[in-house]
Amino acid sequence: MHDLLIPWIGFPMRFAQAADLGVCRCSQVLRVSFLATSSVGDECRVTRWQEPELRVCRLSCIQCMIRSPHVLDLEVLMAVDKAGRFVEVDTVAMLRPDEQILRDMLTGWRNQQLSRNLQLRTIEARERLIERFVDATNEYPWAWTVSHIDEFFGDLRSLRHVKATTVRGYQTSLRLFCEYVTSTDYGWPAACERYFGATTSQVCFEWNTVAHVQDTQSAPTKRAFTQAELQRLFDRADDEVEQIHAHQRKGWLAAYRDAVLLKTAYAWGLRRNEVRHLQSVDFSRNPHAREFGRYGVVQVRYGKARKGSPPKRRSVLTVFDWSVDIIKDWIDVHDQLPDHGLDLFVSERGTLVSESALTTRFRRYCNDLALSPGLDFHSLRRSYVTHLIESGMDAQFVQDQVGHEHASTTALYTCVSSDYRVTTLRRALDSTIKDALAGIDLEEA
């Protein structure tokens, strides 16, 4: 019986599967010891323990995926600490140093982004992009060149017709990853030079990436609903509820929930994620608008967050009188459901309704009505801004309602109709003519 020291970092599943394969041609086995690393401050501590029931083959069988002990040389295992820095741990040689180093790079980059308090879904999306880029180029980061960037994004634009905003987001992720692996503070350039005779370099520059030159780069087709289109959408949602309920089919409650959710998003100018997280306790009274009862103000607690910051909070005043009856009726139904909680819009499994489910139903309604493809869920928020401006609301009030820090951002949302613009122009001209005539009368007097 021989002892074999196996690094725990990076290979737990591989060696566990190798030990479970069972029969092997080799008669000798090795008792396995695992090596784990943990960081305390700036120190990297090593812990070793044995698993008496775990055995692996002695020789280099394909099933075991482990080299024979007589060819093992003591080298270093790549690892990263909690800050994403490269550390060295004396142990056995790496079986696939290229794959191991790439995994440790991604782990270190993940730790770095977590320390910046970025959202997990942002970090995971960036990691998937790096893995996708590696698969597409068939090269590891220390072999990337600017030609790989040109070819990868050229295919995305010409073959897959990816939007420019998506391309810019992908390029930003690649540039940030390259900044991480090229920084000497994390030790990756020296590690790549040692193992592969090559070093990491930045491949995303100003001259080969998309430039961000204006405030908004949304598609020209994106716009607000007209009053007539919005009414048709709400009627279609109500008809869905009535049809399902009339045929006594399953799903009428979900249809009713989504119908209320669409109207709520418009009535208070909420984003999709904001309306999903609404709870019954988020509504309160407005002492200056007692006619709305306990639904005069809604507290938005999951607003759009800045990079690395928690969700931004704001309060939105109730404007439309019909919105009170909509949300009140739904809360009455919601409170009668078994095991109901504070969340207003939940699925049948008790979790928050997913964004994909909302998008699917919303798009189906729009397709049934043959509405413009440029109308998306966010168009409800654009419509809220536009319709308030058209009704004569103060621009600063509208800006505060939707939570914009700058008036220019609110202006981008405004898609006033031609009738409103003509009316505004006519009012301005009439006022000018009236003032001019009044001046003439004064001179004659």
Side-chain angles (χ1 to χ4, degrees):
M1 184 71 66
H2 302 271
D3 290 341
L4 178 64
L5 188 64
I6 296 179
W8 178 259
I9 297 181
F11 295 103
M13 294 303 297
R14 174 174 292 184
F15 286 103
Q17 293 172 357
D20 294 337
L21 288 176
V23 181
C24 179
R25 295 181 181 179
C26 306
S27 58
Q28 298 181 348
V29 295
L30 304 173
R31 183 168 60 249
V32 177
S33 296
F34 287 96
L35 182 70
T37 62
S38 59
S39 58
V40 179
D42 294 332
E43 299 181 359
C44 186
R45 299 182 180 179
V46 179
T47 305
R48 176 175 176 171
W49 78 94
Q50 290 187 348
E51 293 288 344
E53 301 300 327
L54 188 59
R55 301 288 188 271
V56 294
C57 174
R58 176 183 176 86
L59 301 182
S60 55
C61 300
I62 296 178
Q63 292 90 339
C64 295
M65 297 180 287
I66 300 178
R67 302 177 187 174
S68 177
H70 67 272
V71 299
L72 289 177
D73 299 322
L74 282 179
E75 293 186 5
V76 295
L77 171 70
M78 305 297 295
V80 292
D81 59 14
K82 292 182 178 179
R85 296 171 297 187
F86 153 69
V87 295
E88 296 184 353
V89 182
D90 293 336
T91 181
V92 297
M94 291 182 290
L95 302 181
R96 292 295 304 273
D98 48 4
E99 295 181 359
Q100 179 64 38
I101 290 178
L102 176 62
R103 282 196 295 268
D104 289 334
M105 282 180 172
L106 292 175
T107 301
W109 192 37
R110 181 185 184 88
N111 293 342
Q112 182 215 49
Q113 294 177 95
L114 287 173
S115 67
R116 295 167 54 197
N117 200 33
L118 299 185
Q119 294 186 4
L120 285 176
R121 62 179 182 180
T122 300
I123 298 174
E124 293 169 354
R126 289 176 173 178
E127 289 180 353
R128 289 194 299 269
L129 173 65
I130 300 304
E131 294 171 350
R132 178 181 176 183
F133 188 76
V134 170
D135 293 339
T137 60
N138 200 28
E139 295 289 352
Y140 289 98
W142 48 91
W144 288 351
T145 63
V146 292
S147 61
H148 292 136
I149 296 292
D150 297 340
E151 182 179 357
F152 179 74
F153 288 104
D155 289 342
L156 289 182
R157 289 290 287 159
S158 60
L159 300 180
R160 300 181 181 274
H161 306 290
V162 177
K163 297 179 181 178
T165 52
T166 303
V167 170
R168 190 180 69 246
Y170 286 174
Q171 291 172 347
T172 300
S173 298
L174 282 168
R175 185 181 70 253
L176 293 175
F177 177 75
C178 289
E179 289 177 356
Y180 165 71
V181 297
T182 56
S183 174
T184 56
D185 295 334
Y186 294 103
W188 293 114
C192 293
E193 181 70 27
R194 173 180 179 181
Y195 278 90
F196 311 109
T199 187
T200 53
S201 61
Q202 179 63 263
V203 292
C204 293
F205 303 95
E206 183 179 356
W207 44 266
N208 70 338
T209 56
V210 178
H212 193 184
V213 295
Q214 60 185 23
D215 294 333
T216 179
Q217 294 189 5
S218 59
T221 56
K222 302 297 183 183
R223 63 175 177 85
F225 286 91
T226 65
Q227 295 280 4
E229 289 173 336
L230 193 64
Q231 187 61 55
R232 291 175 59 199
L233 176 66
F234 291 163
D235 290 342
R236 175 65 183 86
D238 292 338
D239 292 342
E240 181 84 358
V241 179
E242 294 178 0
Q243 292 174 6
I244 296 177
H245 188 269
H247 292 83
Q248 298 183 349
R249 299 201 314 266
K250 179 181 178 181
W252 78 268
L253 187 61
Y256 182 31
R257 173 203 64 200
D258 293 347
V260 174
L261 188 147
L262 293 176
K263 298 172 185 177
T264 302
Y266 168 74
W268 283 276
L270 305 181
R271 299 180 179 90
R272 180 171 50 185
N273 193 55
E274 293 173 348
V275 69
R276 287 177 58 244
H277 284 87
L278 281 184
Q279 295 183 337
S280 57
V281 294
D282 292 332
F283 292 90
S284 59
R285 297 180 181 275
N286 181 0
H288 302 288
R290 298 182 181 277
E291 62 269 25
F292 296 135
R294 62 175 295 261
Y295 302 100
V297 183
V298 59
Q299 300 295 330
V300 179
R301 296 183 287 116
Y302 285 86
K304 186 177 181 179
R306 287 188 172 185
K307 186 180 300 183
S309 301
K312 182 180 178 180
R313 291 171 173 253
R314 76 176 188 278
S315 59
V316 183
L317 304 181
T318 303
V319 175
F320 303 116
D321 52 0
W322 54 264
S323 60
V324 174
D325 294 333
I326 296 295
I327 197 67
K328 182 178 180 300
D329 291 344
W330 171 249
I331 290 179
D332 292 341
V333 173
H334 170 268
D335 291 344
Q336 295 177 6
L337 299 176
D339 301 328
H340 69 85
L342 296 178
D343 294 321
L344 287 181
F345 305 110
V346 295
S347 65
E348 295 178 350
R349 295 184 297 273
T351 59
L352 291 180
V353 58
S354 66
E355 294 185 4
S356 60
L358 287 178
T359 302
T360 300
R361 188 184 293 273
F362 176 87
R363 181 48 51 195
R364 180 164 62 87
Y365 290 167
C366 291
N367 292 338
D368 293 343
L369 299 173
L371 296 178
S372 171
L375 294 172
D376 54 12
F377 195 95
H378 205 69
S379 293
L380 296 172
R381 182 172 164 87
R382 298 188 189 99
S383 303
Y384 177 79
V385 173
T386 299
H387 297 164
L388 287 186
I389 294 295
E390 288 182 345
S391 64
M393 289 286 186
D394 182 73
Q396 182 62 50
F397 172 79
V398 178
Q399 178 183 338
D400 294 338
Q401 286 283 92
V402 294
H404 289 160
E405 294 187 0
H406 306 286
S408 58
T409 306
T410 308
L412 296 174
Y413 278 65
T414 307
C415 308
V416 295
S417 63
S418 58
D419 293 340
Y420 171 77
R421 299 172 65 182
V422 170
T423 303
T424 303
L425 176 61
R426 185 70 265 166
R427 187 185 304 116
L429 292 176
D430 292 342
S431 176
T432 302
I433 294 174
K434 181 178 180 180
D435 293 341
L437 293 176
I440 295 175
D441 294 338
L442 290 175
E443 292 178 357
E444 292 178 351

